[in-house]
Amino acid sequence: MNNIELWQSVLAQMQFHISKANFATWFQNTEIISKDNEKIIISVPNAFSKEWLSNKYNKLILKTLHDIDDSIKELDFVIKPQTARGVQLKAAPGGYSESEKQEDPQLKFEEFKINKETNLNPRYMFTNFVVGSFNELAHAAALAVADNPGFTYNPLFIYGGTGLGKTHLIQAIGNKIGEDSKKRKVKYISSEKFVSSIVSAIRTNTMEVFKASLAPIDVLILDDIQFIAGKNKSQEEFFHVFNSLYEKNKQIILSSDRPPNAIAELEDRLRSRFEGGMIADVSLPDYETRLVILKTKLQEKNADLPEDILDYIAANVKKNIRELEGALNKILIYNKINQELNIETAKKLLKGFVFSPFDIANYKKIIETVAKFYNLEEKNLFDPTRRKEIVKPRQIAMFLLRRELKYSFPAIARKFGGKDHTTAIYAYKKIMQENEENNKLTEELNLIKQRIYSA
Ligand code: ADP
Ligand code: MG
């Protein structure tokens, strides 16, 4: 493995540890410039990057390098302005060097190829989006919107847990619309970015300019809209933006980690707008679908792996699709350097990806997640009150302790301030029964469980 391949492998792993925005910011234009025995030297484009990488990511990068090549024990960063690199590349006689030609296409960083006009990442397409019962409604709705933006479902609201394909799907819509008609103006914006733009427009008194910049958009895609909850000024401005686009039959596409009715601190008028179009969820793929996803990713990367190893990954990496992809990448990288990949080494490599429910769901996690989901403080769950907004979350917490952790009813009762254990039994039965009758509760339980198992 040469330095380019080594660094690409590190980047492939780093992606799974940090957000896309951070990844693009800190790792763009970095490379390994020397490797002698135990020490690796990485060039970075400026002092700012150097500071960040060496202070915040040093350990993680070193660990990742060490996992790939255990002779590596030390890391250093040097500043090498970007232009120097450009010159070097152009100056190389006869085009690309052998090693660059062989560079694996899977490892080229498409994160860096985001379209500046639309903010879309071209790698998110319908053609590489695997469909199964876990996401088929969302997929069908997305296709329908891509075929006839503004006139089928408006808005389209996609929700589900992290790593389940929301961003992929909503960007695929944008990419398809862009392909079909170059004239249509598509814009993808993370809600975090959207809110910060609104906040700064308010501060600098340029709200009209900001709104004018959105006016020509035909398709507005806002990712992770739950982020806007509780931000009143932003909600107000967004409400107006929403209306003005909607009235002109412009397509609005939203994603969220939960359905509109479960976003606390969302203005009612926005909630009803969100509910006015199509709402579809993405959930967890089953084993068969996980296997199909792995095979699709392999094909995309032009790679291959023994069936028993694929089977092991599909059977054991269940948290979400992002993790599934991370696990696959880890194995592929290992396979590339070491020829002797077998199921035992694969198991070792995947330790961090494979959880039994007992490893990650615990008492603290359940209490924390339930409280957060219902926008309560943890201690509220233990308040001796009959207020509806507390009683229900408390019963859900009791239900999950029983269901997920097999706590005994007396143990649950003790946790909740020595209540009579019949209270715990009652809570369990009540939630169980409601779960069967009430779709909204089932939905909430699923989302809470997804979160409990995705820390
Ligand atoms: P979310 O936005 O829900 O957190 P992402 O859309 O970022 O999830 O998906 C995480 C990773 O999993 C991405 O690399 C994405 O390409 C991949 N992925 C998700 N769903 C699918 C799918 N149905 N088929 C193929 N890849 C998928
Ligand atoms: Mg996302």
Side-chain angles (χ1 to χ4, degrees), residues 84-119:
R85 188 170 180 232
V87 169
Q88 251 180 19
L89 279 179
K90 276 198 205 103
Y96 291 108
S97 69
E98 215 29 58
S99 65
E100 279 164 329
K101 243 187 254 162
Q102 282 168 6
E103 194 183 320
D104 199 327
Q106 60 156 322
L107 296 171
K108 286 222 181 83
F109 274 85
E110 270 129 12
E111 306 306 334
F112 298 152
K113 293 190 197 142
I114 290 168
N115 183 310
K116 294 217 164 55
E117 227 5 70
T118 61
N119 296 330

Side-chain angles (χ1 to χ4, degrees), residues 166-167 223-224 322:
K166 301 182 298 295
T167 297
D223 208 350
D224 292 313
R322 185 175 297 134

Side-chain angles (χ1 to χ4, degrees), residues 16 20 123-124 128-132 134-135 160-169 223-224 255 282 293 296-297 300 320-323 325:
F16 292 96
K20 285 201 173 122
R123 102 179 167 88
Y124 294 125
N128 60 3
F129 188 80
V130 176
V131 185
F134 71 107
N135 64 5
T162 176
L164 296 179
K166 301 182 298 295
T167 297
H168 188 139
L169 190 58
D223 208 350
D224 292 313
S255 86
V282 289
I293 293 174
T296 310
K297 302 275 169 196
E300 224 174 292
N320 61 45
I321 302 173
R322 185 175 297 134
E323 288 276 308
E325 222 180 327

Side-chain angles (χ1 to χ4, degrees), residues 328-341:
L328 180 69
N329 278 345
K330 186 153 190 194
I331 300 279
L332 285 175
I333 288 163
Y334 181 89
N335 194 28
K336 214 167 150 177
I337 328 159
N338 309 278
Q339 297 310 317
E340 79 295 7
L341 177 71

Side-chain angles (χ1 to χ4, degrees), residues 159-166 256-258 282-283 320 447 450-451:
Y159 76 91
T162 176
L164 296 179
K166 301 182 298 295
S256 161
D257 68 347
R258 53 181 86 190
V282 289
S283 65
N320 61 45
L447 288 165
Q450 272 175 28
R451 283 184 199 195

Side-chain angles (χ1 to χ4, degrees), residues 14-31:
M14 294 303 294
Q15 271 196 108
F16 292 96
H17 295 289
I18 61 182
S19 76
K20 285 201 173 122
N22 271 334
F23 180 75
T25 311
W26 304 119
F27 290 93
Q28 191 152 24
N29 298 315
T30 56
E31 63 184 332

